[in-house]
Structures are given as structure tokens and as C-alpha cells.
Amino acid sequence: MPLVLPLLLAVVLFCIGVYGVLARRNVITMLMSFELMLNAVNLNLVAFDAWRVDEATGQTLAIFVITLAAAEIGLGLAIVLLLFRGHGHVDADAARDLEEAS
Amino acid sequence: MTTALFSVASVVAVVASVVVVVSRRIVHAALWLVLALGAVAGCFGALQAEFVALVQILVYVGAIVVLVLFALMLTKAPTNPLPELTTRRSPFAAVVAAVLALILGTGVVLAFGNEKVKPVTDGSATTIGTQIFKNWVLPFEVLSVLLLAALIGAIALSQRSDSAQRSDSAQRKKED
């Protein structure tokens, strides 16, 4: 298999994620786009691991990235729920102040 | 054979992730995310990284998408189509993404255009377990501390607002 194939797929997925982060308004959909970007990074790691026949270093790093993504989405959704409780919406454009609404 | 499998999985992944970022129904976007992440897991499988593929399905499809759906439920996300889900600056975002794809794609093709992946890499749980506990022990432990910190942080975030609300209402009662 040519190495360019997984790398180009990773590029496309990453750019779809960038578009989602920039164009979406709902914070939860932005977090979904972050997940797509992290997946692109994982794909790169696994592809390069298959290319340099090594002792699965890239796959180990991919597992670490998956764990980090789980931690990130957990904290991110907690913050989103806090935003919803304070302001009553999850709109990233409308959330202009950092203080909690009373 | 693996190339054909990989191509099919990558087409599915690209289509599903495009639907994730352009869909006007937010719950549908979350469900298409399942397909996108599953197709990426298929790509990992085609690259002989079966343990990563299984972890991807377990953690992403099993846990993260369920968390996202829970958050959608708790923030009372509407299930009908919402045209305002995408901002007015989405053409600008599309231009940025397209330019980035062009630059990155050109770089990747120029740098790795002639390289081949040999389909004999080993991605079994034994290999990765040995690797983690031989060379990556310290990052592994740091990662477990990070997970603990994220857990405590999430609990603290949700607790704090409860107690703050309670003290607010108590204060209000006192003022009344």
C-alpha cells in the first residue's frame, strides 16, 4: 500500500475538522470536530509506524492520544454543561463573558 | 487487498465526517460521528494495527460518542433541523480548510510520494503491551495521573456550580 494514501486521508480528515471548528456554532459540534482532528493525528501515527517497521512505537503513541482524547472530551463536556447551566445556551459565538451569569 | 479495504474505509470516513460537520441536525451529526470513527478504526485494521482499532472502537464509539449524546441530551439540544448551527463565516472557514488541505497535501505528496507500507507490521496487544511497559512506563503513569486529574476536575466543575447555586439561593433567602 502506498504510504501517501493514509497520509492524504489524515490531511482530509484534519481539514474537515478545522472547517467544523471554525464554522460550527454549537460547542458540542465543535468538540466533535476536535475528535475528527485527533483521529487524523492517530492515523498519521499508525501509518508512519507501519512504514518504519519498528517496535510499534507509533501505535503506542496512538493509544496515548486516544486516552488524552477521552480526558479532553470529559472535561470539555463538563465545561459545556457549566456554560449551559449558567447561560442557558451552548453557543460559542454568544458566550462572550467568562464570569458565571447570576 | 489491504489497499482496497483501506480505500473503502477511507471513503466512508471522509463522507461521514463531512456529514458530521455540515449536518443541520445535531443528533444526526453525533450519530454520523460513530460511522466516521468506525471507518477510521477500519483503516487502522487495514494498516495491521488491530489493537489500536479495537481500542478506537471501545473508547471512541463506546464511550466518547455516548458522552457526546449525553451532553446533547442534558443541554436540551433540539432534534429538528437548525439552519443557525453553522455560522455566517462558514465560506471563510471552508477557504481556510481548503488552503490548509492543499498545503499539507502537497507537502505530504512531495515528501512521501514514492514510499510503500510493508504489510507485515505487528499490532497485537502483546507487542504494544511490551512496548508500553518497557519503553513508555513513565508517560503511561503520567497519563494515569492526567486521567485522575481530569476526573477530579470534571467532578469539581459540576459540584462547584451546585454549591454556588445553593449558597446563592441561601443568600437570597437571607436577604428576603
Side-chain angles (χ1 to χ4, degrees):
Chain A
M1 186 196 312
L3 177 63
V4 207
L5 207 59
L7 296 188
L8 284 181
L9 174 63
V11 167
V12 171
L13 279 185
F14 188 85
C15 294
I16 291 172
V18 168
Y19 171 78
V21 170
L22 289 178
R24 286 298 208 181
R25 189 173 265 174
N26 189 309
V27 184
I28 298 176
T29 45
M30 285 169 77
L31 282 173
M32 289 196 249
S33 311
F34 278 128
E35 297 308 313
L36 286 178
M37 287 157 81
L38 285 171
N39 259 284
V41 173
N42 274 343
L43 205 57
N44 257 337
L45 284 171
V46 172
F48 279 115
D49 181 73
W51 175 53
R52 313 176 53 226
V53 182
D54 200 358
E55 285 185 0
T57 309
Q59 295 180 23
T60 314
L61 287 176
I63 300 273
F64 285 173
V65 173
I66 290 176
T67 319
L68 277 175
E72 174 246 327
I73 197 93
L75 263 185
L77 290 177
I79 294 172
V80 168
L81 287 185
L82 207 60
L83 181 73
F84 181 74
R85 263 192 242 155
H87 295 247
H89 62 75
V90 285
D91 191 338
D93 285 353
R96 292 180 181 276
D97 46 347
L98 286 175
E99 68 166 347
E100 286 183 37
S102 53
Chain B
M1 182 62 196
T2 49
T3 313
L5 269 179
F6 189 90
S7 311
V8 172
S10 55
V11 168
V12 173
V14 169
V15 170
S17 37
V18 167
V19 178
V20 168
V21 294
V22 301
S23 169
R24 297 199 185 288
R25 294 167 187 260
I26 192 166
V27 181
H28 286 204
L31 293 177
W32 277 96
L33 189 65
V34 173
L35 187 59
L37 300 175
V40 173
C43 294
F44 290 156
L47 286 166
Q48 318 273 325
E50 65 243 23
F51 184 66
V52 183
L54 286 177
V55 170
Q56 165 102 358
I57 289 177
L58 265 177
V59 175
Y60 268 105
V61 181
I64 288 183
V65 176
V66 173
L67 258 181
V68 168
L69 285 173
F70 253 106
L72 287 178
M73 203 177 73
L74 288 173
T75 54
K76 300 189 177 65
T79 47
N80 49 327
L82 292 172
E84 68 268 23
L85 206 58
T86 306
T87 55
R88 279 192 309 276
R89 57 178 189 274
S90 65
F92 174 66
V95 169
V96 170
V99 170
L100 189 63
L102 203 66
I103 295 171
L104 286 178
T106 320
V108 160
V109 170
L110 286 182
F112 301 104
N114 302 319
E115 305 288 346
K116 294 261 185 231
V117 172
K118 295 168 199 68
V120 285
T121 51
D122 186 13
S124 66
T126 320
T127 322
I128 294 177
T130 315
Q131 191 68 16
I132 286 179
F133 289 106
K134 206 173 73 186
N135 296 335
W136 298 89
V137 180
L138 184 65
F140 180 74
E141 298 295 335
V142 171
L143 208 57
S144 59
V145 175
L146 178 104
L147 275 181
L148 182 68
L151 188 73
I152 294 173
I155 293 174
L157 276 177
S158 51
Q159 278 304 97
R160 197 170 57 88
S161 67
D162 279 356
S163 58
Q165 272 173 3
R166 221 171 290 139
S167 65
D168 270 5
S169 57
Q171 222 166 15
R172 240 171 264 148
K173 255 180 217 160
K174 226 179 273 174
E175 281 166 8
D176 285 348

